[in-house]
Amino acid sequence: MRAAINRTRSIAAALACVFLWLAGVSCSSEAEPDPIPNVREDHHSYSNPNQIRVTRVELDLDVSFERTSLEGSATLVLKREGTGGELILDTRDLNIKSVDAAGPSGEFASVDFELGDSDAILGASLTIALSPNAERVRIDYSTSPSASGLQWLGPAQTAGKKHPFLFTQSQAIHARSWIPLQDSPGVRVTYAATIRTPKELFAVMSAEMEAQQPSDAATPGEYRFQMPQPIPSYLIALAVGDIEFQAMSERTGVYAEPSIVERAAKEFEDTEAMMQAVEKLYGPYQWQRYDILVLPPSFPFGGMENPRLTFATPTILAGDKSLVSLVAHELAHSWSGNLVTNATWRDFWLNEGFTVYLENRIQEAVFGRERAEMEASLEVQELEEELKELEPRDQVLHVDLKGRDPDEGFTLVPYVKGMLLLRSLEKAVGRDRFDTFLRSYFDHFSFQSITTEDFLDYFSRYLLSANPEVAEKVPVEDWLLKPGLPHDAVLPSSNAFERVEAVASRWYGGGIELAEIPSGQWTTQEWLRFLRTLPEQLEADRMNELDKAFSLSESGNSEILHQWLLMSVRNSYAPAYPKVEEFLSSVGRRKFLKPLYTELAKTADGKQRALAIYKKARPLYHPIAAATIDETLGVAPE
Ligand code: BES
Ligand code: ZN
């Protein structure tokens, strides 16, 4: 007993040491775990929340499609934390017209402000001089047409082709391009918004719709929103367009363009079951409604977990629900990410690693273990591929992003390596105990932004002290600080995949014909595994054979089509070239664009074609996706 306690203590001390090491403080055996200076410092924000903290944002904005600009004001409610008299905000490409401040009387008067020089990654600071009794500031401003967090679509880029569309994407540090605020995930705000839209256009936000004066053919619209729960700035979101709603259950529904909404509601009809599955495991859903907005195809991500209203790419509408793990993922963020938030982008794995773990648990609960393991296995295969290309410094969970764009941390490492760490812990303590731990973690840190150190501290106090054997089984510090995958990683396995791999190699080796492959019942996941198991280099006749037998160039499933097009480019399979061009010109999802352009750029001829396609397609891409492809192809941003 004594020995066990001593061992627990020494493990706790060792963890405290890691804790200090993470904070850049050297650790001697007698070091006391002092409060650690600057541990929450966010290298991606100019703001000074430790002096003056913004606690609430009130937006009043007109949406102008003519000027591709949001115009109006942001009123920020302040809380004094220190003695400083200056409020420092983040901005990027904003046109600041005036700044006013109000004290207890509520009367606004003009104050001095200074916009700093613009940094390519961080944008420009906005420093506002305040008297000690200032309680609110109001900034009158407009956004730039090139705002990195906004995409303005012309009617041609929508499904209906009649109306324009606007959507925001604030994560990681793009909220500052459409709202002047403290753009750090360590700062949580409630928010309210009044949004005025042109005739016939509807507005939605990551908030509760309070009141609407719907726009019709004759009147512009005015929409009012409230977000009463404190959230980080990267979760503030807005979309405006010809949007309709269809309910799926009491508390879930779909927003989309009219021609899509019904199909989407069918595809996502299991959302309520998914919610109930997470609630059973990790506690009640805290955001009242869960709706999904299906965006036009230029949306640069698969999904974005904006609270109450996930934003999703239409490329997951496969018609057979086979790609809804993305909904499970974004829904899971309602716990991991939105409730318990990474305090800085260095701690991004706390958002994404936990979410991929939860996503997989949801898939298992709703669709069964077989499918969940297949999905996890595909994710791990992709991670292993990516690890071959990543520098060691980017293979660690606690990644140092100082001086870099937080976007550089967007790899599968925080996602899949993070998930594998949690799987290891689950295996070490058993599922029931691990679930109890996770539930208490979400409860303990709800509506807080936390660092990796906070997680470690809670982990060692809660889980490790009661289960000291975990420290021997799972080298948590290696997971956090070392590149690659530690030896204790529990890799998912699937019998179905073993069968698929076997037939793939038998066909390639000449042992069977494609017609003999029992592919009739294959799921999307099995198709993906089949294609990814084949050798990278395939002869023209083998490509032809595959395409003839399975009509892969005509696949209506975006994941399968993308995988096939990638193979086509790699193997110079010319019959698929028109499809490659069509795909790159109609889909803006970065996860699809980047590998295809990268593969094209590997040959001189491919690079020519890539540049020609990109020249035409670039104006259709979101600024975030365009920035990535500019880099992939080595072209100067416009
Ligand atoms: N929060 C992310 C998207 C994100 C991360 C945007 C960082 C900007 C910066 C979202 O939850 C996500 O992970 N989306 C994935 C899909 C998911 C199923 C892995 C995506 O878009 O690929
Ligand atoms: Zn995510």
Side-chain angles (χ1 to χ4, degrees), residues 435-474:
D435 281 344
T436 312
F437 165 71
L438 282 181
R439 192 180 175 130
S440 74
Y441 165 85
F442 291 130
D443 200 41
H444 183 81
F445 290 116
S446 64
F447 297 108
Q448 291 180 47
S449 300
I450 69 166
T451 61
T452 299
E453 292 84 345
D454 294 326
F455 160 75
L456 262 184
D457 190 34
Y458 189 72
F459 165 76
S460 64
R461 274 191 293 122
Y462 187 102
L463 204 66
L464 207 50
S465 60
N467 308 275
E469 75 284 359
V470 174
E472 278 149 36
K473 294 187 183 156
V474 187

Side-chain angles (χ1 to χ4, degrees), residues 239-410:
V240 177
D242 183 13
I243 297 170
E244 262 180 19
F245 176 75
Q246 185 167 326
M248 296 190 292
S249 71
E250 265 304 271
R251 57 178 177 169
T252 70
V254 166
Y255 288 96
E257 285 191 70
S259 66
I260 294 192
V261 71
E262 200 173 326
R263 195 149 59 92
K266 188 91 195 91
E267 195 89 23
F268 303 146
E269 68 186 3
D270 296 316
T271 305
E272 175 65 39
M274 291 180 174
M275 284 179 87
Q276 291 178 15
V278 214
E279 287 189 305
K280 205 167 136 206
L281 290 168
Y282 306 122
Y285 182 73
Q286 305 260 18
W287 311 88
Q288 282 85 48
R289 294 199 55 83
Y290 181 77
D291 295 319
I292 301 169
L293 170 68
V294 181
L295 288 141
S298 71
F299 184 59
F301 294 103
M304 178 64 215
E305 67 272 26
N306 297 314
R308 290 170 190 252
L309 184 63
T310 279
F311 282 21
T313 169
T315 61
I316 53 169
L317 298 174
D320 61 1
K321 305 183 187 176
S322 64
L323 303 177
V324 296
S325 63
L326 185 131
V327 173
H329 179 97
E330 305 313 334
L331 171 66
H333 273 305
S334 308
W335 285 260
S336 45
N338 298 2
L339 208 51
V340 182
T341 307
N342 52 209
T344 76
W345 298 114
R346 175 167 213 179
D347 309 301
F348 185 51
W349 79 275
L350 291 178
N351 274 19
E352 299 299 344
F354 277 66
T355 295
V356 175
Y357 177 83
L358 262 61
E359 163 198 335
N360 213 249
R361 293 295 303 275
I362 297 173
Q363 290 296 92
E364 182 181 324
V366 178
F367 300 105
R369 185 156 174 98
E370 172 100 49
R371 168 143 170 205
E373 285 297 286
M374 283 196 246
E375 291 176 347
S377 174
L378 287 172
E379 290 168 343
V380 170
Q381 190 184 23
E382 288 174 43
L383 170 68
E384 284 170 339
E385 287 304 310
E386 194 175 23
L387 284 175
K388 292 182 195 156
E389 312 286 323
L390 284 178
E391 286 178 57
R393 66 168 182 171
D394 290 328
Q395 298 186 11
V396 304
L397 289 176
H398 199 246
V399 58
D400 186 0
L401 293 168
K402 189 173 181 183
R404 304 169 70 191
D405 191 320
D407 224 29
E408 291 183 36
F410 187 85

Side-chain angles (χ1 to χ4, degrees), residues 52 54 56-58 73-78 80 86-87 89 98-103 108-109 111-112 126 128-131 134-140 180-181:
I52 303 179
V54 175
R56 181 172 171 79
V57 175
E58 293 170 358
S73 67
T75 302
L76 311 180
V77 179
L78 312 175
R80 302 254 156 197
E86 279 179 350
L87 170 67
L89 304 176
S98 59
V99 181
D100 293 78
F108 279 95
V111 292
D112 286 341
L126 173 62
I128 300 168
L130 290 177
S131 67
E135 290 175 355
R136 301 173 147 242
V137 292
R138 187 181 66 220
I139 300 136
D140 281 280
L181 43 48

Side-chain angles (χ1 to χ4, degrees), residues 496-519:
F497 276 4
E498 282 170 19
R499 288 193 292 274
V500 164
E501 283 162 16
V503 293
S505 65
R506 282 183 62 203
W507 168 70
Y508 187 70
I512 47 167
E513 298 289 319
L514 287 178
E516 295 171 63
I517 292 182
S519 60

